[in-house]
């Protein structure tokens, strides 16, 4: 993954991770979550950056026989250690999404909406990226 640190050249980052996922349905609302522990390796650095990510998603059907859906999710990122390549421990970023989904069939859903990505940065102003997000979700 190409990473762009504040006031520095882009670097290549490699990640491995372990994760657990879960989901449930309450009435006709789908709730899902993912907990991920990442190990991050950056070119030019010798430390392993450990990061925890927590994701929550809510999908609620609103029309057309449950094919049109309200969709929202939030994902929080926390760095668990300080590294020699610039990662600082603590809150790292947040991604929050609100939009609509269209379920074509049992394996294909498209989502469109607004994604706000807030990134905490050291030595530079924090970032708030405003993104039009288009997602294709395919299950095999």
């Amino acid at each position: 993954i190409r990473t762009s640190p504040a006031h520095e050249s882009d670097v290549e980052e490699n990640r491995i991770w372990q994760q657990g996922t879960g989901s449930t349905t309450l009435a006709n609302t789908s709730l899902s979550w993912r907990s991920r522990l990442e190990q991050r390796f950056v070119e030019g650095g010798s430390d392993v950056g450990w990061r925890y990510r927590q994701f929550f998603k809510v999908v609620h059907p609103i029309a057309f026989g449950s094919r049109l859906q309200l969709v929202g999710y939030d994902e929080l990122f926390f760095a668990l250690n300080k590294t020699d390549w610039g990662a600082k421990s603590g809150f790292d970023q947040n991604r929050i999404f609100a939009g609509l989904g269209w379920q074509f069939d049992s394996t294909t859903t498209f989502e469109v909406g607004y994604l706000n990505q807030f990134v905490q940065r050291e030595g530079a102003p924090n970032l708030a990226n405003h993104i039009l997000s288009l997602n294709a979700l395919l299950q095999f």
Side-chain angles (χ1 to χ4, degrees):
I1 298 170
R2 182 166 301 278
T3 301
S4 302
H7 305 301
E8 296 178 28
S9 300
D10 289 356
V11 295
E12 295 298 322
E13 178 181 326
N14 295 291
R15 299 178 188 166
I16 58 175
W17 68 84
Q18 305 75 46
Q19 70 180 22
T21 61
S23 63
T24 191
T25 301
L26 298 175
N28 60 349
T29 300
S30 171
L31 306 170
S32 58
W33 57 90
R34 179 189 70 222
S35 301
R36 178 180 288 177
L37 182 63
E38 296 180 329
Q39 296 81 52
R40 303 166 65 206
F41 306 87
V42 175
E43 67 179 340
S46 60
D47 289 342
V48 176
W50 290 78
R51 183 165 66 182
Y52 177 74
R53 296 169 60 166
Q54 185 61 57
F55 175 86
F56 298 99
K57 183 175 183 179
V58 176
V59 177
H60 182 75
I62 56 174
F64 303 104
S66 301
R67 294 177 66 162
L68 182 62
Q69 308 163 335
L70 287 175
V71 179
Y73 70 73
D74 190 30
E75 185 172 21
L76 293 162
F77 295 62
F78 296 95
L80 302 178
N81 66 317
K82 181 179 176 181
T83 66
D84 63 357
W85 44 265
K88 305 292 182 206
S89 62
F91 173 78
D92 184 45
Q93 65 176 283
N94 187 52
R95 296 176 186 171
I96 190 164
F97 172 86
L100 295 172
W102 182 264
Q103 186 170 4
F104 284 92
D105 56 39
S106 63
T107 63
T108 307
T109 303
F110 286 98
E111 297 172 350
V112 61
Y114 171 74
L115 173 65
N116 180 278
Q117 178 192 31
F118 177 83
V119 181
Q120 178 90 29
R121 300 196 310 174
E122 282 289 322
N126 295 331
L127 286 179
N129 296 314
H130 305 280
I131 302 162
L132 173 61
S133 181
L134 304 169
N135 303 303
L137 307 170
L138 308 172
Q139 294 180 356
F140 298 99

